[in-house]
Structures are given as structure tokens and as C-alpha cells.
Amino acid sequence: MDKTLIVIDNHVFIKPEYLNHEFISGNKLRKLKYNLKEAKRLKKNVLLTFGGAFSNHIAAVAYAGKEYGFETIGVIRGEELVNSAKLNPTLAFARECGMTFKFISRHEYRTKTDVLFIEKLRNEFGDFYLIPEGGTNVLAVKGCEEILTVADKKFDYICCPVGTGGTISGLINSSYNTQKIIGFPALKGDFLQEEIIKFANNSNWELISEYHFGGYAKINEQLVHFINQFKSRHKVALDPIYTGKMMFGIYDLLDKGYFKKGSKILAIHTGGLQGIDGMNEKLRQQNMPIIV
Ligand SMILES: *Cc1c(COP(=O)(O)O)cnc(C)c1O
């Protein structure tokens, strides 16, 4: 057995992409790898990207900028944050890494891919290398094609959480036809199917949309309980936004007999653990149990 995998039981294994970095989501580093090379090649000094206030991608870009010598600009959803006295843990980390923020309204945020809006940003900040929200583009998918290795051929199912679809597209492209790739969307969204079709070159995949818990960053006590129990049983931390929902889904599907008997399942632990502190702040405010 591949020593880099974590064995959960006889048929569930975890690929610990979260160990690629202590703070940054493993898949976000994969998605940035070839984008950073391209930015260097184009002699860009500034990276600009978009995200919500708890975004793993914002944290990853800020960190990558510091590490590889780029200035970074984060266009953040939620103008009310401009006046908040204290930044949440994600944004505090990004600022420490040197990121400049531009907070915009939710309304304006919806126009973030419009040519006119990008032009406005170029007028304000000058030349930059643009990385889309969540980091997904062709170069990001190329980076995610490096997650699976030949040794992973023995798995019948490869499972991963889905946000913008870049990670699963990379997994699909580097999988074998005998394998099935199962994505667990972390948000409500019918657009995902189409996004993945744009990047993926095989049809051996499926999205299972029953485990988003009401939408992006929405969670309930049942999920918190599952995450805490999983950690105490298996010594593996899960994040509440992506990997917790995926793993909850895998176990529910196991209970329902979804997987072929005797098959081997590989779950990609994409990371996201930096989001736990921010989520716990919200849970405390709502007097809900927290992630331990
Ligand atoms: C961003 C992220 C995802 C989703 O990846 P996409 O490529 O956007 O689908 C999954 N897990 C974690 C931990 C993430 O940070």
C-alpha cells in the first residue's frame, strides 16, 4: 500500500493533499503552480484575484505572492467588511502575507468577469495577472492532473469536493477509464456540470449534489458532530466547507449501498483547514457546537 495514503478502513483511503502545506489548501497550490509560472513568463509582478471573506483561494494567492515575489490584490465580496474593526482569520492571514484588499458589494461582485469591470480594475491597479475566483482555469486543471499517480490505479472510485470544478476536472483527466470520479458539490449550483465539461476530457464522472447542507459555507450540528467524531476516530481533521461534506456524503452513500461491493474508494482531502477558525467564530456567535 502507498505509504502516503491514510487508511480509514478496508475500503476507504485518504490522499492527504492537506499535508502539502500547513495552512494552504493542497488543491489551491496545485491550481496556482502553472499560473505562477505563466505570470513569471509574462513578467507580471502583480496577481489579482477574487473571493469571499473566508476563501481558501484568497489565502493561497496571498501566501504564494509572498513566497514567490508577487504583489497580490484580493477583490473581496462584501463591502461592509471595509469598516469591520477586526479581520477574520483568513483575511488577517492574507494581509500578513502582504495582500491589498478591495472590498466590493455583492451586487458588483456578480460583474467580476465583465470586461468593463476588469478594465476598471486595470485603471485602478495597473497591469496584473488575473486569476479567476477559486483559481480555476486551464492551467489550474493542468496542476490538478498531478494529484493522482500511477499507484492510484487500484482505486475504483475517486471522490473529491467540488467548488468551481477545477480540481475534479484535473482528476478526471488523469484517471483511468475503469475508475469513476465522484464530485460532491459544496454549494448549490446547476452551472457546475457545464463548467466541468469545459475542462474534462472523459465522461467517467458524476456529481452527487445531496450533500451541500443548504449551500456554500452552510453547515448544521449534524455536520459539526460528524467532523468531530471523524477526527477523534481517525485522527484526520476535516474542514466544514468542503472535505467534511464530502466525507459525510461518502459514508452516507456507503450506508445506502451506492458503491459496488468490495470496491476501493480514494477520497481526496483537498485541505481547507484554515477555514475552521473562521467558521468557529460564526458558530460561537450562534451558540452552536464548534469544531474541535
Ligand atoms: C477550493 C477548494 C475545493 C474546490 O476546488 P474547485 O477546484 O474549486 O472545485 C475543494 N476543497 C478545498 C479544501 C478547497 O479549498
Side-chain angles (χ1 to χ4, degrees):
M1 183 46 68
D2 186 345
K3 286 208 184 56
T4 60
L5 298 183
I6 299 168
V7 183
I8 298 298
D9 57 41
N10 279 336
H11 31 241
V12 181
F13 300 77
I14 288 184
K15 186 179 277 278
E17 285 280 293
Y18 68 101
L19 296 178
N20 294 356
H21 190 272
E22 60 175 309
F23 199 71
I24 307 301
S25 293
N27 72 329
K28 294 298 184 291
L29 289 181
R30 301 260 189 202
K31 292 169 92 168
L32 284 172
K33 177 178 170 185
Y34 291 104
N35 276 295
L36 298 178
K37 285 194 176 161
E38 180 66 2
K40 286 268 189 236
R41 192 184 69 80
L42 297 170
K43 304 211 168 9
K44 306 272 186 179
N45 302 316
V46 182
L47 308 174
L48 180 141
T49 196
F50 306 90
F54 295 91
S55 162
N56 294 327
H57 170 66
I58 288 291
V61 171
Y63 170 80
K66 186 175 101 174
E67 198 67 11
Y68 300 102
F70 295 96
E71 272 179 55
T72 54
I73 299 161
V75 181
I76 311 292
R77 181 179 59 227
E79 64 198 330
E80 73 280 2
L81 296 164
V82 177
N83 301 318
S84 59
K86 189 169 148 281
L87 293 173
N88 76 41
T90 305
L91 295 183
F93 171 81
R95 172 157 292 166
E96 251 171 60
C97 291
M99 184 175 258
T100 302
F101 300 129
K102 177 179 173 66
F103 296 100
I104 62 175
S105 69
R106 282 165 174 73
H107 176 74
E108 196 172 13
Y109 194 81
R110 270 179 237 124
T111 69
K112 66 186 173 301
T113 55
D114 294 358
V115 179
L116 278 179
F117 183 63
I118 305 293
E119 210 175 279
K120 223 173 90 182
L121 290 172
R122 292 213 193 271
N123 288 338
E124 184 172 348
F125 295 108
D127 193 28
F128 51 72
Y129 183 83
L130 187 138
I131 303 176
E133 182 184 41
T136 290
N137 56 16
V138 171
L139 292 175
V141 172
K142 181 177 168 185
C144 291
E145 288 171 5
E146 296 173 356
I147 296 174
L148 291 179
T149 66
V150 216
D152 299 322
K153 192 175 183 178
K154 60 182 165 292
F155 291 103
D156 304 290
Y157 298 94
I158 316 276
C159 299
C160 75
V162 177
T164 57
T167 305
I168 191 173
S169 298
L171 293 170
I172 294 165
N173 291 350
S174 57
S175 67
Y176 294 90
N177 280 328
T178 49
Q179 299 179 313
K180 184 156 183 194
I181 316 301
I182 301 179
F184 294 85
L187 62 159
K188 288 196 239 176
D190 304 329
F191 61 94
L192 275 174
Q193 199 88 10
E194 280 167 47
E195 273 304 293
I196 296 167
I197 288 169
K198 273 191 224 159
F199 296 110
N201 61 19
N202 207 334
S203 55
N204 57 339
W205 57 279
E206 183 183 0
L207 294 182
I208 297 195
S209 304
E210 274 87 65
Y211 302 104
H212 56 58
F213 286 78
Y216 184 73
K218 299 267 193 312
I219 68 168
N220 64 20
E221 282 191 28
Q222 189 188 22
L223 184 64
V224 173
H225 179 70
F226 174 82
I227 288 171
N228 288 339
Q229 205 178 39
F230 193 88
K231 186 170 176 190
S232 79
R233 275 198 195 143
H234 304 295
K235 310 287 170 265
V236 175
L238 300 171
D239 83 293
I241 298 183
Y242 293 105
T243 55
K245 292 180 180 181
M246 164 188 69
M247 202 54 80
F248 185 98
I250 291 174
Y251 275 83
D252 198 48
L253 292 178
L254 278 167
D255 274 351
K256 290 178 173 157
Y258 171 92
F259 299 103
K260 269 191 285 160
K261 213 163 167 251
S263 54
K264 288 204 184 314
I265 301 163
L266 179 65
I268 311 296
H269 190 316
T270 41
L273 302 179
Q274 70 87 20
I276 293 177
D277 289 348
M279 183 61 80
N280 277 341
E281 280 183 6
K282 282 203 246 177
L283 290 170
R284 278 195 199 93
Q285 284 162 12
Q286 295 164 19
N287 279 321
M288 279 180 50
I290 63 160
I291 298 161
V292 291

